[in-house]
Coordinates of all heavy atoms in Angstrom, one line a residue:
M658 N -2.7 7.4 -26.8 CA -3.0 7.9 -25.4 C -2.7 6.8 -24.4 O -2.6 5.7 -24.8 CB -4.5 8.3 -25.4 CG -5.5 7.2 -25.4 SD -7.2 7.8 -25.3 CE -8.0 6.5 -26.1
E659 N -2.6 7.2 -23.2 CA -2.3 6.3 -22.1 C -3.5 6.1 -21.2 O -4.2 7.0 -20.8 CB -1.1 6.8 -21.3 CG -0.6 5.8 -20.3 CD 0.7 6.3 -19.6 OE1 1.3 7.2 -20.1 OE2 1.0 5.7 -18.6
V660 N -3.8 4.8 -20.9 CA -4.8 4.5 -19.9 C -4.2 3.7 -18.8 O -3.1 3.0 -18.9 CB -5.9 3.6 -20.5 CG1 -6.7 4.5 -21.6 CG2 -5.4 2.4 -21.1
N661 N -4.8 3.8 -17.6 CA -4.3 3.0 -16.4 C -5.3 1.8 -16.3 O -6.5 2.0 -16.4 CB -4.4 3.9 -15.2 CG -3.5 5.1 -15.3 OD1 -2.3 5.0 -15.7 ND2 -4.0 6.3 -15.1
V662 N -4.7 0.7 -16.1 CA -5.5 -0.6 -16.1 C -5.4 -1.2 -14.7 O -4.3 -1.4 -14.2 CB -5.1 -1.6 -17.2 CG1 -6.0 -2.8 -17.2 CG2 -5.1 -0.9 -18.6
R663 N -6.5 -1.6 -14.1 CA -6.5 -2.3 -12.9 C -7.0 -3.7 -13.1 O -8.0 -3.9 -13.8 CB -7.4 -1.6 -11.8 CG -6.8 -0.2 -11.6 CD -7.4 0.4 -10.3 NE -7.0 -0.4 -9.2 CZ -7.6 -0.3 -8.0 NH1 -8.6 0.6 -7.8 NH2 -7.3 -1.0 -7.0
L664 N -6.3 -4.7 -12.6 CA -6.7 -6.1 -12.7 C -6.9 -6.7 -11.4 O -6.1 -6.4 -10.4 CB -5.6 -6.8 -13.5 CG -5.2 -6.3 -14.9 CD1 -3.9 -6.8 -15.4 CD2 -6.3 -6.6 -15.8
F665 N -7.9 -7.5 -11.3 CA -8.2 -8.1 -10.0 C -8.1 -9.7 -10.0 O -8.3 -10.3 -11.1 CB -9.6 -7.7 -9.6 CG -9.7 -6.2 -9.3 CD1 -10.0 -5.3 -10.3 CD2 -9.4 -5.7 -8.0 CE1 -10.0 -3.9 -10.1 CE2 -9.4 -4.3 -7.8 CZ -9.8 -3.5 -8.8
A666 N -7.9 -10.2 -8.9 CA -7.9 -11.7 -8.6 C -7.0 -12.4 -9.6 O -5.9 -12.1 -9.8 CB -9.4 -12.2 -8.7
R667 N -7.6 -13.4 -10.3 CA -6.8 -14.2 -11.2 C -6.1 -13.4 -12.4 O -5.0 -13.7 -12.8 CB -7.6 -15.4 -11.8 CG -6.9 -16.3 -12.8 CD -5.9 -17.2 -12.0 NE -5.2 -18.0 -13.0 CZ -3.9 -18.1 -13.1 NH1 -3.1 -17.4 -12.3 NH2 -3.3 -18.8 -14.0
L668 N -6.8 -12.4 -12.8 CA -6.3 -11.5 -13.9 C -5.0 -10.9 -13.4 O -4.0 -10.8 -14.2 CB -7.3 -10.5 -14.3 CG -8.7 -11.0 -14.7 CD1 -9.6 -9.8 -15.1 CD2 -8.5 -12.0 -15.9
R669 N -5.0 -10.4 -12.2 CA -3.8 -9.8 -11.6 C -2.6 -10.8 -11.5 O -1.5 -10.5 -11.8 CB -4.1 -9.3 -10.2 CG -2.9 -8.7 -9.5 CD -3.2 -8.3 -8.0 NE -3.8 -9.5 -7.3 CZ -4.9 -9.5 -6.6 NH1 -5.6 -8.4 -6.5 NH2 -5.3 -10.5 -6.0
D670 N -3.0 -12.0 -11.1 CA -2.0 -13.1 -11.1 C -1.3 -13.4 -12.4 O -0.1 -13.5 -12.5 CB -2.6 -14.4 -10.5 CG -3.1 -14.3 -9.1 OD1 -2.6 -13.3 -8.4 OD2 -3.9 -15.1 -8.7
I671 N -2.1 -13.4 -13.4 CA -1.6 -13.7 -14.8 C -0.7 -12.6 -15.3 O 0.4 -12.8 -15.8 CB -2.8 -13.9 -15.8 CG1 -3.6 -15.2 -15.4 CG2 -2.3 -13.9 -17.2 CD1 -4.9 -15.3 -16.2
A672 N -1.1 -11.3 -15.0 CA -0.3 -10.2 -15.5 C 0.9 -9.9 -14.6 O 1.8 -9.2 -15.0 CB -1.2 -9.0 -15.6
G673 N 0.8 -10.4 -13.4 CA 1.9 -10.2 -12.4 C 1.9 -8.8 -11.8 O 2.8 -8.4 -11.1
A674 N 0.8 -8.1 -12.0 CA 0.6 -6.8 -11.3 C -0.9 -6.4 -11.3 O -1.6 -6.8 -12.2 CB 1.4 -5.7 -12.1
G675 N -1.2 -5.7 -10.3 CA -2.6 -5.2 -10.1 C -2.9 -3.9 -10.9 O -4.1 -3.6 -11.2
E676 N -1.9 -3.2 -11.2 CA -2.1 -1.9 -12.0 C -1.0 -1.8 -13.0 O 0.2 -2.0 -12.7 CB -2.0 -0.7 -11.0 CG -3.2 -0.7 -10.1 CD -3.2 0.6 -9.3 OE1 -2.8 1.7 -9.8 OE2 -3.5 0.5 -8.1
V677 N -1.4 -1.5 -14.2 CA -0.4 -1.2 -15.3 C -0.9 -0.1 -16.2 O -2.1 0.3 -16.1 CB -0.2 -2.5 -16.2 CG1 0.4 -3.7 -15.4 CG2 -1.5 -2.9 -16.9
S678 N 0.0 0.6 -16.9 CA -0.4 1.6 -17.8 C -0.1 1.1 -19.2 O 1.0 0.4 -19.4 CB 0.4 2.9 -17.6 OG 0.1 3.4 -16.3
R679 N -0.9 1.4 -20.2 CA -0.7 1.0 -21.5 C -1.1 2.1 -22.5 O -2.0 2.9 -22.3 CB -1.6 -0.2 -21.9 CG -1.1 -1.5 -21.2 CD 0.3 -2.0 -21.6 NE 0.7 -3.1 -20.9 CZ 1.4 -3.2 -19.8 NH1 1.7 -2.1 -19.2 NH2 1.9 -4.3 -19.3
Q680 N -0.4 2.1 -23.6 CA -0.7 3.0 -24.7 C -1.7 2.4 -25.6 O -1.5 1.2 -26.0 CB 0.6 3.3 -25.5 CG 1.6 4.1 -24.8 CD 1.2 5.6 -24.5 OE1 0.5 6.2 -25.4 NE2 1.5 6.1 -23.4
V681 N -2.7 3.1 -26.0 CA -3.8 2.6 -26.9 C -4.1 3.6 -27.9 O -3.8 4.8 -27.7 CB -5.1 2.1 -26.1 CG1 -4.8 0.9 -25.2 CG2 -5.6 3.3 -25.3
P682 N -4.7 3.3 -29.0 CA -5.0 4.3 -30.0 C -6.1 5.3 -29.5 O -6.8 5.0 -28.6 CB -5.7 3.5 -31.2 CG -5.3 2.1 -30.9 CD -5.0 1.9 -29.4
D683 N -6.1 6.5 -30.2 CA -7.0 7.5 -29.7 C -8.5 7.1 -29.8 O -9.3 7.6 -29.0 CB -6.8 8.8 -30.6 CG -5.5 9.5 -30.2 OD1 -5.0 9.2 -29.2 OD2 -5.1 10.3 -31.1
D684 N -8.9 6.2 -30.7 CA -10.3 5.8 -30.8 C -10.5 4.5 -30.0 O -11.5 3.7 -30.3 CB -10.6 5.6 -32.2 CG -9.8 4.5 -32.9 OD1 -8.8 4.1 -32.4 OD2 -10.2 4.1 -34.1
A685 N -9.7 4.2 -29.0 CA -9.8 2.9 -28.2 C -11.1 2.8 -27.5 O -11.7 3.8 -27.0 CB -8.7 2.8 -27.3
T686 N -11.5 1.5 -27.3 CA -12.7 1.2 -26.5 C -12.1 0.3 -25.3 O -11.0 -0.1 -25.3 CB -13.7 0.4 -27.3 OG1 -13.1 -0.8 -27.7 CG2 -14.2 1.2 -28.5
V687 N -13.0 -0.1 -24.4 CA -12.6 -1.0 -23.4 C -12.1 -2.3 -24.0 O -11.1 -2.9 -23.6 CB -13.8 -1.3 -22.5 CG1 -13.5 -2.4 -21.5 CG2 -14.2 0.0 -21.7
S688 N -12.8 -2.8 -25.1 CA -12.3 -4.0 -25.8 C -10.9 -3.8 -26.3 O -10.1 -4.8 -26.3 CB -13.3 -4.3 -26.9 OG -12.9 -5.5 -27.5
T689 N -10.6 -2.7 -26.9 CA -9.2 -2.4 -27.4 C -8.2 -2.6 -26.2 O -7.1 -3.2 -26.4 CB -9.1 -1.0 -27.9 OG1 -10.1 -0.8 -28.9 CG2 -7.7 -0.7 -28.6
V690 N -8.5 -2.1 -25.1 CA -7.6 -2.2 -23.9 C -7.4 -3.6 -23.5 O -6.3 -4.1 -23.3 CB -8.1 -1.3 -22.7 CG1 -7.2 -1.5 -21.5 CG2 -8.2 0.1 -23.1
W691 N -8.6 -4.4 -23.5 CA -8.5 -5.8 -23.2 C -7.6 -6.5 -24.2 O -6.8 -7.4 -23.8 CB -9.9 -6.4 -23.1 CG -9.8 -7.9 -22.9 CD1 -10.0 -8.9 -23.8 CD2 -9.6 -8.5 -21.6 NE1 -9.8 -10.1 -23.2 CE2 -9.6 -9.9 -21.8 CE3 -9.3 -8.0 -20.3 CZ2 -9.3 -10.8 -20.8 CZ3 -9.1 -9.0 -19.3 CH2 -9.1 -10.3 -19.6
E692 N -7.9 -6.3 -25.5 CA -7.1 -7.0 -26.5 C -5.6 -6.7 -26.4 O -4.7 -7.5 -26.6 CB -7.6 -6.7 -27.9 CG -9.0 -7.2 -28.1 CD -9.2 -8.7 -27.9 OE1 -8.2 -9.5 -28.3 OE2 -10.2 -9.1 -27.4
T693 N -5.3 -5.4 -26.0 CA -3.9 -5.1 -25.8 C -3.2 -5.9 -24.7 O -2.1 -6.4 -24.9 CB -3.8 -3.6 -25.5 OG1 -4.3 -2.8 -26.5 CG2 -2.3 -3.1 -25.2
L694 N -4.0 -6.1 -23.7 CA -3.4 -6.9 -22.6 C -3.4 -8.4 -22.9 O -2.4 -9.1 -22.6 CB -4.3 -6.7 -21.3 CG -4.2 -5.4 -20.6 CD1 -5.2 -5.3 -19.5 CD2 -2.8 -5.2 -20.1
A695 N -4.4 -8.9 -23.6 CA -4.5 -10.3 -24.0 C -3.4 -10.6 -25.0 O -2.9 -11.8 -25.0 CB -5.9 -10.6 -24.6
N696 N -3.0 -9.7 -25.8 CA -1.9 -9.9 -26.7 C -0.6 -10.1 -26.0 O 0.3 -10.8 -26.3 CB -1.7 -8.8 -27.8 CG -2.8 -8.9 -28.8 OD1 -3.3 -9.9 -29.1 ND2 -3.1 -7.8 -29.4
E697 N -0.5 -9.3 -24.9 CA 0.7 -9.4 -24.1 C 0.7 -10.6 -23.1 O 1.8 -11.2 -22.8 CB 0.8 -8.1 -23.2 CG 2.1 -7.9 -22.5 CD 2.2 -6.6 -21.8 OE1 1.4 -5.6 -22.1 OE2 3.1 -6.4 -20.9
F698 N -0.4 -10.9 -22.6 CA -0.6 -12.0 -21.7 C -1.7 -13.0 -22.2 O -2.8 -12.9 -21.8 CB -1.0 -11.5 -20.3 CG -0.1 -10.5 -19.7 CD1 -0.5 -9.1 -19.7 CD2 1.1 -10.8 -19.2 CE1 0.4 -8.2 -19.2 CE2 2.0 -9.9 -18.6 CZ 1.6 -8.5 -18.6
P699 N -1.3 -13.9 -23.1 CA -2.3 -14.7 -23.8 C -3.2 -15.5 -22.9 O -4.4 -15.8 -23.3 CB -1.4 -15.7 -24.7 CG -0.2 -14.9 -24.9 CD 0.0 -14.1 -23.6
E700 N -2.8 -15.8 -21.7 CA -3.7 -16.6 -20.8 C -4.9 -15.8 -20.4 O -5.9 -16.4 -20.0 CB -2.9 -17.0 -19.6 CG -3.5 -18.0 -18.7 CD -2.7 -18.5 -17.5 OE1 -1.5 -18.2 -17.5 OE2 -3.3 -19.1 -16.6
L701 N -4.9 -14.5 -20.5 CA -6.0 -13.7 -20.2 C -7.2 -13.9 -21.2 O -8.4 -13.8 -20.8 CB -5.7 -12.2 -20.3 CG -4.8 -11.6 -19.2 CD1 -4.5 -10.1 -19.5 CD2 -5.4 -11.7 -17.8
S702 N -6.9 -14.4 -22.4 CA -7.9 -14.6 -23.4 C -9.1 -15.5 -23.0 O -10.2 -15.2 -23.4 CB -7.3 -15.1 -24.7 OG -6.4 -14.2 -25.2
E703 N -8.8 -16.5 -22.2 CA -9.8 -17.4 -21.8 C -10.9 -16.7 -20.9 O -12.0 -17.3 -20.7 CB -9.2 -18.6 -21.1 CG -8.6 -18.3 -19.7 CD -7.9 -19.5 -19.1 OE1 -6.8 -19.9 -19.6 OE2 -8.4 -20.1 -18.1
Y704 N -10.6 -15.5 -20.3 CA -11.6 -14.9 -19.5 C -12.4 -13.8 -20.2 O -13.3 -13.2 -19.6 CB -10.8 -14.1 -18.3 CG -10.2 -15.1 -17.4 CD1 -8.9 -15.5 -17.6 CD2 -10.9 -15.6 -16.3 CE1 -8.3 -16.5 -16.7 CE2 -10.3 -16.6 -15.5 CZ -9.0 -17.0 -15.7 OH -8.4 -17.9 -14.8
R705 N -12.2 -13.6 -21.5 CA -12.9 -12.6 -22.3 C -14.4 -12.6 -22.1 O -15.1 -11.6 -22.0 CB -12.5 -12.7 -23.7 CG -13.2 -11.8 -24.7 CD -12.9 -10.3 -24.4 NE -13.4 -9.4 -25.4 CZ -14.6 -8.9 -25.5 NH1 -15.5 -9.3 -24.6 NH2 -15.0 -8.1 -26.4
A706 N -15.0 -13.8 -22.2 CA -16.5 -13.9 -22.2 C -17.1 -13.7 -20.8 O -18.3 -13.5 -20.7 CB -16.8 -15.3 -22.7
S707 N -16.3 -13.8 -19.8 CA -16.8 -13.7 -18.4 C -16.4 -12.5 -17.6 O -16.9 -12.4 -16.5 CB -16.5 -15.0 -17.7 OG -15.1 -15.2 -17.6
I708 N -15.6 -11.7 -18.1 CA -15.1 -10.5 -17.2 C -16.1 -9.4 -17.2 O -17.0 -9.3 -18.1 CB -13.8 -10.0 -17.7 CG1 -13.9 -9.5 -19.2 CG2 -12.6 -10.9 -17.5 CD1 -12.7 -8.7 -19.7
S709 N -16.1 -8.6 -16.2 CA -16.8 -7.3 -16.1 C -15.7 -6.2 -16.3 O -14.6 -6.4 -15.9 CB -17.5 -7.2 -14.8 OG -18.5 -8.2 -14.6
A710 N -16.2 -5.1 -16.8 CA -15.2 -4.0 -17.0 C -15.8 -2.7 -16.4 O -17.1 -2.6 -16.3 CB -15.0 -3.8 -18.4
A711 N -15.0 -1.8 -16.0 CA -15.4 -0.5 -15.5 C -14.4 0.6 -16.0 O -13.2 0.3 -16.2 CB -15.4 -0.5 -14.0
V712 N -15.0 1.7 -16.3 CA -14.2 2.9 -16.7 C -14.4 4.0 -15.7 O -15.6 4.4 -15.5 CB -14.5 3.4 -18.2 CG1 -13.8 4.6 -18.5 CG2 -14.3 2.3 -19.2
N713 N -13.3 4.4 -15.1 CA -13.4 5.4 -14.0 C -14.5 5.1 -13.0 O -15.3 5.9 -12.6 CB -13.7 6.8 -14.7 CG -12.6 7.2 -15.6 OD1 -11.4 6.9 -15.3 ND2 -12.9 7.9 -16.7
A714 N -14.4 3.8 -12.5 CA -15.2 3.3 -11.4 C -16.7 3.1 -11.8 O -17.6 3.0 -10.9 CB -15.1 4.1 -10.2
E715 N -17.1 3.2 -13.1 CA -18.5 3.0 -13.5 C -18.5 1.7 -14.4 O -17.7 1.7 -15.4 CB -18.9 4.2 -14.4 CG -19.0 5.5 -13.6 CD -20.3 5.6 -12.8 OE1 -21.3 4.9 -13.1 OE2 -20.3 6.3 -11.7
Y716 N -19.3 0.8 -14.1 CA -19.4 -0.4 -14.9 C -19.7 0.0 -16.4 O -20.5 0.9 -16.6 CB -20.5 -1.4 -14.5 CG -20.0 -2.2 -13.3 CD1 -20.4 -2.0 -12.0 CD2 -19.1 -3.3 -13.5 CE1 -19.9 -2.8 -11.0 CE2 -18.7 -4.1 -12.5 CZ -19.1 -3.8 -11.2 OH -18.6 -4.6 -10.2
S717 N -19.0 -0.7 -17.3 CA -19.0 -0.3 -18.7 C -19.1 -1.5 -19.6 O -18.7 -2.6 -19.2 CB -17.8 0.5 -19.1 OG -17.7 1.7 -18.4
R718 N -19.6 -1.3 -20.8 CA -19.7 -2.3 -21.8 C -18.3 -2.4 -22.5 O -17.6 -1.4 -22.4 CB -20.8 -2.1 -22.8 CG -22.2 -2.1 -22.2 CD -23.2 -1.6 -23.2 NE -23.1 -2.2 -24.5 CZ -24.0 -3.1 -24.9 NH1 -25.0 -3.5 -24.2 NH2 -23.9 -3.6 -26.1
M719 N -18.0 -3.5 -23.2 CA -16.7 -3.6 -23.8 C -16.6 -2.6 -25.0 O -15.5 -2.3 -25.4 CB -16.5 -5.0 -24.3 CG -16.4 -6.0 -23.2 SD -15.0 -5.7 -22.1 CE -13.7 -6.4 -23.0
D720 N -17.7 -2.1 -25.5 CA -17.7 -1.2 -26.7 C -17.6 0.3 -26.2 O -17.6 1.2 -27.0 CB -18.8 -1.4 -27.7 CG -20.2 -1.2 -27.1 OD1 -20.3 -1.0 -25.9 OD2 -21.1 -1.3 -27.9
A721 N -17.5 0.5 -24.9 CA -17.5 1.9 -24.4 C -16.2 2.5 -24.7 O -15.1 1.9 -24.6 CB -17.7 1.9 -22.9
P722 N -16.2 3.8 -25.1 CA -14.9 4.5 -25.4 C -14.1 4.8 -24.2 O -14.7 4.9 -23.1 CB -15.4 5.8 -26.1 CG -16.7 6.0 -25.6 CD -17.3 4.7 -25.3
V723 N -12.8 4.9 -24.3 CA -11.9 5.3 -23.2 C -11.2 6.5 -23.7 O -10.9 6.7 -24.9 CB -11.0 4.2 -22.8 CG1 -11.8 3.0 -22.2 CG2 -10.1 3.7 -23.9
G724 N -10.8 7.3 -22.7 CA -10.0 8.6 -23.0 C -8.7 8.5 -22.3 O -8.4 7.7 -21.5
D725 N -7.8 9.5 -22.7 CA -6.5 9.6 -22.2 C -6.6 9.8 -20.7 O -7.3 10.6 -20.2 CB -5.8 10.8 -22.8 CG -4.3 10.9 -22.4 OD1 -3.7 9.8 -22.4 OD2 -3.8 12.0 -22.2
G726 N -5.8 9.0 -19.9 CA -5.8 9.0 -18.5 C -6.9 8.3 -17.8 O -6.9 8.2 -16.6
D727 N -7.8 7.7 -18.5 CA -8.9 6.9 -17.9 C -8.4 5.7 -17.1 O -7.3 5.2 -17.5 CB -9.9 6.4 -18.9 CG -10.9 7.5 -19.3 OD1 -10.9 8.6 -18.7 OD2 -11.7 7.2 -20.3
E728 N -9.1 5.3 -16.1 CA -8.8 4.1 -15.4 C -9.8 3.0 -15.9 O -11.0 3.2 -15.9 CB -9.0 4.2 -13.9 CG -8.7 2.9 -13.2 CD -9.0 3.1 -11.7 OE1 -10.2 2.9 -11.3 OE2 -8.0 3.3 -10.9
V729 N -9.2 1.9 -16.4 CA -10.1 0.8 -16.9 C -9.8 -0.4 -16.0 O -8.6 -0.8 -15.9 CB -9.7 0.5 -18.4 CG1 -10.6 -0.7 -18.9 CG2 -9.9 1.7 -19.3
A730 N -10.8 -0.9 -15.4 CA -10.7 -2.1 -14.5 C -11.3 -3.3 -15.1 O -12.4 -3.2 -15.8 CB -11.3 -1.7 -13.2
F731 N -10.7 -4.4 -14.9 CA -11.2 -5.7 -15.4 C -11.4 -6.6 -14.2 O -10.4 -6.8 -13.4 CB -10.3 -6.3 -16.4 CG -10.3 -5.6 -17.7 CD1 -9.1 -4.8 -18.1 CD2 -11.4 -5.5 -18.6 CE1 -9.1 -4.1 -19.3 CE2 -11.3 -4.8 -19.8 CZ -10.2 -4.1 -20.1
L732 N -12.6 -7.2 -14.1 CA -12.9 -8.0 -12.9 C -13.3 -9.4 -13.4 O -14.3 -9.5 -14.1 CB -13.9 -7.4 -12.1 CG -13.7 -6.0 -11.6 CD1 -14.3 -5.0 -12.5 CD2 -14.1 -5.8 -10.2
P733 N -12.7 -10.5 -13.0 CA -13.2 -11.8 -13.3 C -14.4 -12.2 -12.5 O -14.7 -11.5 -11.5 CB -12.0 -12.7 -13.0 CG -11.4 -12.0 -11.8 CD -11.6 -10.5 -12.1
P734 N -15.1 -13.2 -13.0 CA -16.3 -13.7 -12.1 C -15.8 -14.1 -10.8 O -14.6 -14.6 -10.7 CB -16.9 -14.8 -13.0 CG -15.8 -15.2 -13.9 CD -14.9 -14.0 -14.1
V735 N -16.6 -14.0 -9.8 CA -16.2 -14.4 -8.5 C -17.3 -15.4 -8.0 O -18.5 -15.3 -8.4 CB -16.1 -13.3 -7.5 CG1 -14.9 -12.4 -7.9 CG2 -17.3 -12.4 -7.4
S736 N -16.9 -16.3 -7.1 CA -17.9 -17.1 -6.5 C -17.8 -17.0 -5.0 O -16.8 -16.6 -4.4 CB -17.6 -18.6 -6.9 OG -16.3 -19.0 -6.4
G737 N -18.9 -17.1 -4.3 CA -19.0 -17.0 -2.9 C -19.3 -18.3 -2.2 O -19.6 -19.3 -2.9
G738 N -19.3 -18.2 -0.9 CA -19.6 -19.5 -0.3 C -19.9 -19.2 1.2 O -19.9 -18.2 1.7

């Protein structure tokens, strides 16, 4: 199945795009989508412990299932000032 992935801030810089589509297995979770991207862009791996994720604009856990056509967003930690 295909999911649409949105990446923000530093994650976008690493991947070279703010939005990408990826094929994932039918039983994929948010974590599966992340691992797919981290395999393609190894520098993303260092953010695994600190990112937030959302599925269809709802914050989600990494073990949340994803469906065909879902939008999965990954957001790195941000600091303010």
Side-chain angles (χ1 to χ4, degrees):
M658 73 178 155
E659 186 172 346
V660 294
N661 300 310
V662 183
R663 297 195 63 198
L664 301 165
F665 295 89
R667 181 71 182 126
L668 306 179
R669 177 186 57 230
D670 295 342
I671 292 169
E676 293 185 36
V677 296
S678 294
R679 291 295 179 269
Q680 293 290 324
V681 294
D683 288 341
D684 61 347
T686 63
V687 173
S688 184
T689 307
V690 176
W691 177 258
E692 294 304 322
T693 298
L694 290 174
N696 286 335
E697 187 175 346
F698 305 104
E700 194 177 343
L701 291 175
S702 296
E703 69 186 72
Y704 292 92
R705 172 66 169 85
S707 60
I708 58 168
S709 296
V712 176
N713 299 325
E715 297 280 333
Y716 279 104
S717 299
R718 295 170 51 106
M719 293 300 277
D720 61 356
V723 297
D725 189 42
D727 280 353
E728 178 185 83
V729 181
F731 293 108
L732 305 97
V735 295
S736 61

